[in-house]
Amino acid sequence: MTTPNLLPGNRFRAYRGDGTAQQNWAFICLATSITLTLTNAFEDATVPDCDDPLAIPVRKSIMSSTAWGGRIAGQVDATRLAKLRADAGSQTPIPYRFLVDQTAANGGGAWIGNVFVENLEITKNNNGIVSFTCQFRGDGPLTWTDATA
């Protein structure tokens, strides 16, 4: 039996781009939880069997659009929170990169796309560490690039 090579959590990371032509990526070290959601929308039609008019028609689906989004969450470092606050107030999308840190042979690569922040929530419980959740929506395509090695 072949067992899968499970991906450790520190091998799936989020990076924020600076928007320059060279695109410098900064690791979002605050994010201890990352969710990336890919969504497909479909239009459906009920299609009869032309060879058997008495057969129950079946659903036929056509993909009509794709969308993506997700969230990052973690603990707050007030000095690093400024970038997330700026993203939450931005009227232009911000480039983000979601890295699967493995070789190409092991499924590694990265998704890259622009995001708008839908909401940024800052919380604390009792006198514990302050936490955040940043919900985002993709703007335009989310592209995948295989790792180089």
CSV table of all heavy atoms in Angstrom, one decimal, residues 107-140:
chain,number,residue,atom,x,y,z
A,107,GLY,N,4.0,18.0,-6.4
A,107,GLY,CA,2.8,18.8,-6.4
A,107,GLY,C,2.9,20.2,-6.0
A,107,GLY,O,1.9,21.0,-5.8
A,108,GLY,N,4.1,20.7,-5.9
A,108,GLY,CA,4.4,22.1,-5.5
A,108,GLY,C,4.1,23.1,-6.5
A,108,GLY,O,4.1,22.8,-7.7
A,109,GLY,N,3.9,24.3,-6.1
A,109,GLY,CA,3.6,25.5,-7.0
A,109,GLY,C,2.9,26.5,-6.2
A,109,GLY,O,2.9,26.5,-5.0
A,110,ALA,N,2.3,27.5,-6.9
A,110,ALA,CA,1.6,28.6,-6.3
A,110,ALA,C,0.4,29.1,-7.1
A,110,ALA,O,0.5,29.1,-8.3
A,110,ALA,CB,2.6,29.7,-6.1
A,111,TRP,N,-0.6,29.5,-6.4
A,111,TRP,CA,-1.7,30.2,-7.0
A,111,TRP,C,-1.4,31.7,-6.8
A,111,TRP,O,-0.9,32.1,-5.7
A,111,TRP,CB,-3.0,29.9,-6.3
A,111,TRP,CG,-3.6,28.6,-6.5
A,111,TRP,CD1,-4.4,28.2,-7.6
A,111,TRP,CD2,-3.6,27.5,-5.6
A,111,TRP,NE1,-4.8,26.9,-7.4
A,111,TRP,CE2,-4.4,26.5,-6.3
A,111,TRP,CE3,-3.0,27.2,-4.4
A,111,TRP,CZ2,-4.6,25.2,-5.7
A,111,TRP,CZ3,-3.2,26.0,-3.8
A,111,TRP,CH2,-4.0,25.0,-4.5
A,112,ILE,N,-1.7,32.5,-7.8
A,112,ILE,CA,-1.5,33.9,-7.7
A,112,ILE,C,-2.7,34.6,-8.3
A,112,ILE,O,-3.2,34.2,-9.4
A,112,ILE,CB,-0.2,34.4,-8.5
A,112,ILE,CG1,1.0,33.8,-7.9
A,112,ILE,CG2,-0.2,35.9,-8.5
A,112,ILE,CD1,2.3,34.1,-8.7
A,113,GLY,N,-3.2,35.6,-7.6
A,113,GLY,CA,-4.4,36.4,-8.0
A,113,GLY,C,-4.5,37.6,-7.2
A,113,GLY,O,-3.9,37.8,-6.1
A,114,ASN,N,-5.4,38.5,-7.6
A,114,ASN,CA,-5.7,39.7,-6.9
A,114,ASN,C,-6.9,39.5,-6.0
A,114,ASN,O,-7.8,38.9,-6.4
A,114,ASN,CB,-6.0,40.9,-7.9
A,114,ASN,CG,-4.7,41.2,-8.7
A,114,ASN,OD1,-3.6,41.2,-8.2
A,114,ASN,ND2,-4.9,41.6,-9.9
A,115,VAL,N,-6.9,40.2,-4.9
A,115,VAL,CA,-8.0,40.1,-3.9
A,115,VAL,C,-8.5,41.4,-3.5
A,115,VAL,O,-7.7,42.4,-3.5
A,115,VAL,CB,-7.6,39.2,-2.7
A,115,VAL,CG1,-7.0,37.9,-3.0
A,115,VAL,CG2,-6.6,40.0,-1.7
A,116,PHE,N,-9.7,41.5,-3.1
A,116,PHE,CA,-10.3,42.5,-2.4
A,116,PHE,C,-10.7,42.0,-1.0
A,116,PHE,O,-11.2,40.8,-0.9
A,116,PHE,CB,-11.6,43.0,-3.0
A,116,PHE,CG,-11.5,44.0,-4.2
A,116,PHE,CD1,-11.8,43.5,-5.4
A,116,PHE,CD2,-11.0,45.3,-4.0
A,116,PHE,CE1,-11.6,44.4,-6.5
A,116,PHE,CE2,-10.9,46.1,-5.0
A,116,PHE,CZ,-11.2,45.7,-6.3
A,117,VAL,N,-10.4,42.7,0.1
A,117,VAL,CA,-10.7,42.3,1.4
A,117,VAL,C,-12.2,42.6,1.6
A,117,VAL,O,-12.6,43.8,1.5
A,117,VAL,CB,-9.8,43.0,2.5
A,117,VAL,CG1,-10.4,42.7,3.9
A,117,VAL,CG2,-8.4,42.5,2.3
A,118,GLU,N,-13.0,41.6,1.9
A,118,GLU,CA,-14.4,41.8,2.2
A,118,GLU,C,-14.6,42.2,3.7
A,118,GLU,O,-15.5,43.1,3.9
A,118,GLU,CB,-15.2,40.5,1.9
A,118,GLU,CG,-15.3,40.2,0.5
A,118,GLU,CD,-16.1,39.0,0.2
A,118,GLU,OE1,-15.8,37.9,0.7
A,118,GLU,OE2,-17.1,39.2,-0.6
A,119,ASN,N,-13.9,41.6,4.6
A,119,ASN,CA,-14.0,42.1,6.0
A,119,ASN,C,-12.7,41.7,6.7
A,119,ASN,O,-12.0,40.7,6.4
A,119,ASN,CB,-15.2,41.6,6.7
A,119,ASN,CG,-15.3,40.1,6.8
A,119,ASN,OD1,-14.4,39.5,7.4
A,119,ASN,ND2,-16.3,39.5,6.2
A,120,LEU,N,-12.4,42.5,7.7
A,120,LEU,CA,-11.2,42.3,8.6
A,120,LEU,C,-11.8,42.4,10.0
A,120,LEU,O,-12.3,43.4,10.4
A,120,LEU,CB,-10.1,43.3,8.3
A,120,LEU,CG,-8.9,43.3,9.3
A,120,LEU,CD1,-8.2,41.9,9.1
A,120,LEU,CD2,-8.0,44.4,9.0
A,121,GLU,N,-11.7,41.3,10.7
A,121,GLU,CA,-12.2,41.2,12.1
A,121,GLU,C,-11.0,41.0,13.1
A,121,GLU,O,-10.2,40.2,12.9
A,121,GLU,CB,-13.1,40.0,12.2
A,121,GLU,CG,-13.7,39.8,13.5
A,121,GLU,CD,-14.7,38.6,13.5
A,121,GLU,OE1,-14.2,37.4,13.5
A,121,GLU,OE2,-15.9,38.8,13.5
A,122,ILE,N,-11.0,41.9,14.1
A,122,ILE,CA,-10.0,41.8,15.1
A,122,ILE,C,-10.7,41.4,16.4
A,122,ILE,O,-11.8,42.0,16.8
A,122,ILE,CB,-9.3,43.2,15.3
A,122,ILE,CG1,-8.8,43.8,14.0
A,122,ILE,CG2,-8.2,43.1,16.3
A,122,ILE,CD1,-7.8,42.9,13.3
A,123,THR,N,-10.2,40.4,17.1
A,123,THR,CA,-10.9,39.9,18.3
A,123,THR,C,-10.0,39.6,19.4
A,123,THR,O,-8.8,39.4,19.2
A,123,THR,CB,-11.7,38.5,17.9
A,123,THR,OG1,-10.8,37.6,17.5
A,123,THR,CG2,-12.7,38.8,16.9
A,124,LYS,N,-10.5,39.5,20.6
A,124,LYS,CA,-9.8,39.0,21.8
A,124,LYS,C,-10.8,38.3,22.7
A,124,LYS,O,-12.0,38.6,22.6
A,124,LYS,CB,-9.1,40.2,22.5
A,124,LYS,CG,-10.0,40.9,23.5
A,124,LYS,CD,-9.2,41.8,24.4
A,124,LYS,CE,-10.1,42.4,25.5
A,124,LYS,NZ,-10.1,41.7,26.7
A,125,ASN,N,-10.2,37.4,23.4
A,125,ASN,CA,-11.1,36.6,24.3
A,125,ASN,C,-10.4,36.7,25.7
A,125,ASN,O,-9.2,36.4,25.8
A,125,ASN,CB,-11.1,35.1,23.9
A,125,ASN,CG,-12.0,34.3,24.7
A,125,ASN,OD1,-12.7,34.9,25.6
A,125,ASN,ND2,-12.1,33.0,24.5
A,126,ASN,N,-11.2,37.3,26.6
A,126,ASN,CA,-10.6,37.5,28.0
A,126,ASN,C,-9.4,38.4,27.9
A,126,ASN,O,-9.5,39.5,27.3
A,126,ASN,CB,-10.4,36.2,28.7
A,126,ASN,CG,-10.3,36.3,30.2
A,126,ASN,OD1,-10.5,37.4,30.7
A,126,ASN,ND2,-10.1,35.2,30.8
A,127,ASN,N,-8.3,38.0,28.4
A,127,ASN,CA,-7.1,38.8,28.2
A,127,ASN,C,-6.0,38.1,27.4
A,127,ASN,O,-4.8,38.2,27.6
A,127,ASN,CB,-6.5,39.2,29.6
A,127,ASN,CG,-7.2,40.3,30.2
A,127,ASN,OD1,-7.6,41.3,29.5
A,127,ASN,ND2,-7.5,40.3,31.5
A,128,GLY,N,-6.5,37.2,26.5
A,128,GLY,CA,-5.6,36.4,25.7
A,128,GLY,C,-5.1,37.2,24.5
A,128,GLY,O,-5.2,38.4,24.4
A,129,ILE,N,-4.4,36.5,23.6
A,129,ILE,CA,-3.8,37.2,22.5
A,129,ILE,C,-4.8,37.6,21.5
A,129,ILE,O,-5.8,37.0,21.2
A,129,ILE,CB,-2.8,36.2,21.8
A,129,ILE,CG1,-1.7,35.8,22.8
A,129,ILE,CG2,-2.2,36.7,20.5
A,129,ILE,CD1,-0.8,34.7,22.3
A,130,VAL,N,-4.6,38.8,21.0
A,130,VAL,CA,-5.5,39.4,20.0
A,130,VAL,C,-5.4,38.6,18.7
A,130,VAL,O,-4.3,38.3,18.3
A,130,VAL,CB,-5.3,40.9,19.8
A,130,VAL,CG1,-6.2,41.5,18.7
A,130,VAL,CG2,-5.5,41.7,21.1
A,131,SER,N,-6.5,38.3,18.1
A,131,SER,CA,-6.5,37.5,16.8
A,131,SER,C,-7.2,38.3,15.7
A,131,SER,O,-7.9,39.3,16.0
A,131,SER,CB,-7.3,36.2,17.0
A,131,SER,OG,-6.7,35.4,18.0
A,132,PHE,N,-7.1,37.8,14.5
A,132,PHE,CA,-7.7,38.5,13.4
A,132,PHE,C,-8.2,37.4,12.4
A,132,PHE,O,-7.8,36.3,12.4
A,132,PHE,CB,-6.8,39.4,12.6
A,132,PHE,CG,-5.8,38.7,11.7
A,132,PHE,CD1,-6.1,38.5,10.3
A,132,PHE,CD2,-4.7,38.1,12.2
A,132,PHE,CE1,-5.3,37.8,9.5
A,132,PHE,CE2,-3.8,37.4,11.4
A,132,PHE,CZ,-4.1,37.3,10.0
A,133,THR,N,-9.3,37.8,11.6
A,133,THR,CA,-9.7,37.0,10.5
A,133,THR,C,-9.9,38.0,9.4
A,133,THR,O,-10.6,39.0,9.5
A,133,THR,CB,-11.0,36.3,10.8
A,133,THR,OG1,-10.8,35.4,11.9
A,133,THR,CG2,-11.5,35.5,9.6
A,134,CYS,N,-9.4,37.6,8.2
A,134,CYS,CA,-9.5,38.5,7.0
A,134,CYS,C,-10.1,37.7,5.9
A,134,CYS,O,-9.5,36.7,5.4
A,134,CYS,CB,-8.1,38.9,6.6
A,134,CYS,SG,-8.0,39.9,5.1
A,135,GLN,N,-11.4,38.0,5.6
A,135,GLN,CA,-12.1,37.4,4.5
A,135,GLN,C,-11.9,38.1,3.2
A,135,GLN,O,-12.0,39.3,3.2
A,135,GLN,CB,-13.6,37.4,4.9
A,135,GLN,CG,-14.5,36.6,3.9
A,135,GLN,CD,-14.4,35.1,4.0
A,135,GLN,OE1,-14.2,34.6,5.1
A,135,GLN,NE2,-14.5,34.4,2.9
A,136,PHE,N,-11.5,37.4,2.1
A,136,PHE,CA,-11.2,38.1,0.9
A,136,PHE,C,-11.9,37.4,-0.3
A,136,PHE,O,-12.4,36.2,-0.2
A,136,PHE,CB,-9.7,38.1,0.6
A,136,PHE,CG,-9.1,36.7,0.5
A,136,PHE,CD1,-9.0,36.0,-0.6
A,136,PHE,CD2,-8.5,36.2,1.7
A,136,PHE,CE1,-8.5,34.8,-0.7
A,136,PHE,CE2,-7.9,34.9,1.6
A,136,PHE,CZ,-7.9,34.2,0.4
A,137,ARG,N,-12.1,38.2,-1.4
A,137,ARG,CA,-12.7,37.6,-2.6
A,137,ARG,C,-11.7,37.9,-3.7
A,137,ARG,O,-11.0,38.9,-3.8
A,137,ARG,CB,-14.0,38.3,-2.9
A,137,ARG,CG,-13.9,39.8,-3.2
A,137,ARG,CD,-15.2,40.5,-3.4
A,137,ARG,NE,-16.0,39.9,-4.5
A,137,ARG,CZ,-17.3,39.8,-4.5
A,137,ARG,NH1,-18.0,40.3,-3.5
A,137,ARG,NH2,-17.9,39.3,-5.5
A,138,GLY,N,-11.6,36.9,-4.6
A,138,GLY,CA,-10.7,37.0,-5.7
A,138,GLY,C,-11.3,38.0,-6.7
A,138,GLY,O,-12.5,38.1,-6.9
A,139,ASP,N,-10.4,38.7,-7.4
A,139,ASP,CA,-10.8,39.6,-8.5
A,139,ASP,C,-10.0,39.2,-9.7
A,139,ASP,O,-8.8,39.4,-9.8
A,139,ASP,CB,-10.5,41.1,-8.1
A,139,ASP,CG,-10.9,42.1,-9.1
A,139,ASP,OD1,-12.1,42.1,-9.5
A,139,ASP,OD2,-10.1,42.8,-9.7
A,140,GLY,N,-10.8,38.6,-10.7
A,140,GLY,CA,-10.1,38.1,-11.9
A,140,GLY,C,-9.6,36.7,-11.7
A,140,GLY,O,-10.0,36.0,-10.8
